[in-house]
Amino acid sequence: MKNLSTGSRTGRDTQRYSSQGERMIVGTIPFTFQTDTDIDIDTNTNTNTNMFPTSARVLLINSRKHPEEWLLPKGGWEMDEDRMEGAVRESWEEAGVVGELLHARQRGQQQQEEEEQNYDNPLLLDFAVKGKNHDQLHTYYGLRIKELKEEWPEREERGRRLFTLVEAEAVLCAQQRRRDRVAQCAVLENLKQLLVHQVPTTTSSSTSSSC
């Protein structure tokens, strides 16, 4: 990951649009396992931390305009970065997440390069969303959390919280007002399918407890 910025990028003059005029959006679904972290997770579900999916947690953030809504970190893809860099940057700016893209462990370098040359082949999801001013093309990656920083660019503008998979599904899929509801719901479902093949292991994570 590039050096962590102290501020968020603003404006859309340097953002990418498709040949059809769709705004290109990149984001992640940050996740962890309860064994990855020392965060005190309050849950009424099964607390066996050695079992999937009860040990999996997804990080969601508040919408700035509608704080009662929870969503995945995402934003415009900038001209000076590839898609994965943009997704990681948005996760840092909006949620204070430092992590590892899921594909980095699962795919070889050659396949990664091929994917970056073929923008129709993302890891988790490509999804068309009807926007207010521009139609949008969303691309999401799985991001395994390594650290949650206590200070991040949009800390004063957003909250963040870890959800169980059941809780995250209930929240993301119920927000009828959001145009990207179906896309974010589909991202969560795709992550659940991928995590079936992930083995939760205890790591020496320095994840912050300030969620």
Side-chain angles (χ1 to χ4, degrees):
M1 180 178 178
K2 295 180 179 179
N3 292 334
L4 299 177
S5 62
T6 57
S8 295
R9 297 192 183 190
T10 59
R12 298 184 178 180
D13 292 343
T14 59
Q15 292 184 1
R16 298 180 188 245
Y17 291 80
S18 73
S19 57
Q20 286 74 43
E22 300 147 314
R23 185 174 173 229
M24 309 293 282
I25 302 295
V26 289
T28 70
I29 180 164
F31 71 96
T32 185
F33 295 102
Q34 201 165 2
T35 49
D36 277 350
T37 173
D38 58 3
I39 292 177
D40 182 16
I41 300 172
D42 181 16
T43 176
N44 294 322
T45 59
N46 187 339
T47 57
N48 183 346
T49 60
N50 295 318
M51 295 293 291
F52 174 84
T54 56
S55 65
R57 300 291 184 268
V58 172
L59 186 75
L60 302 182
I61 59 173
N62 289 117
S63 164
R64 281 188 291 198
K65 293 183 178 179
H66 302 275
E68 73 281 3
E69 295 180 349
W70 294 91
L71 61 150
L72 300 172
K74 61 178 176 57
W77 177 18
E78 301 277 348
M79 300 291 290
D80 64 342
E81 58 192 5
D82 63 35
R83 281 199 311 176
M84 292 181 291
E85 289 172 340
V88 169
R89 173 184 55 76
E90 288 291 342
S91 302
W92 158 246
E93 292 178 355
E94 296 188 346
V97 174
V98 176
E100 177 185 18
L101 289 176
L102 192 61
H103 87 286
R105 284 198 308 273
Q106 294 184 332
R107 289 166 164 77
Q109 181 63 33
Q110 181 177 354
Q111 189 168 354
Q112 290 180 41
E113 293 173 355
E114 291 173 354
E115 287 179 350
E116 281 307 298
Q117 293 168 10
N118 178 7
Y119 293 142
D120 295 326
N121 186 25
L123 174 63
L124 285 185
L125 185 74
D126 255 354
F127 205 96
V129 175
K130 286 288 183 182
K132 183 177 181 180
N133 300 313
H134 293 277
D135 288 345
Q136 301 174 351
L137 287 178
H138 289 223
T139 298
Y140 291 91
Y141 295 91
L143 181 69
R144 187 162 184 173
I145 299 170
K146 297 175 70 176
E147 187 176 2
L148 292 177
K149 296 289 190 180
E150 294 186 8
E151 299 288 340
W152 71 96
E154 298 187 16
R155 181 186 178 189
E156 301 300 323
E157 304 174 58
R158 303 179 187 273
R160 66 183 183 188
R161 177 186 157 193
L162 286 167
F163 291 78
T164 67
L165 295 179
V166 173
E167 291 169 339
E169 183 174 15
V171 169
L172 290 176
C173 301
Q175 298 175 146
Q176 297 294 330
R177 190 196 65 82
R178 296 197 60 83
R179 293 182 176 89
D180 59 358
R181 174 181 63 88
V182 175
Q184 299 212 8
C185 221
V187 173
L188 178 64
E189 181 59 34
N190 287 355
L191 178 71
K192 286 162 62 177
Q193 297 303 316
L194 284 174
L195 290 186
V196 170
H197 305 293
Q198 296 288 308
V199 180
T201 56
T202 302
T203 64
S204 56
S205 170
S206 55
T207 308
S208 164
S209 59
S210 61
C211 271

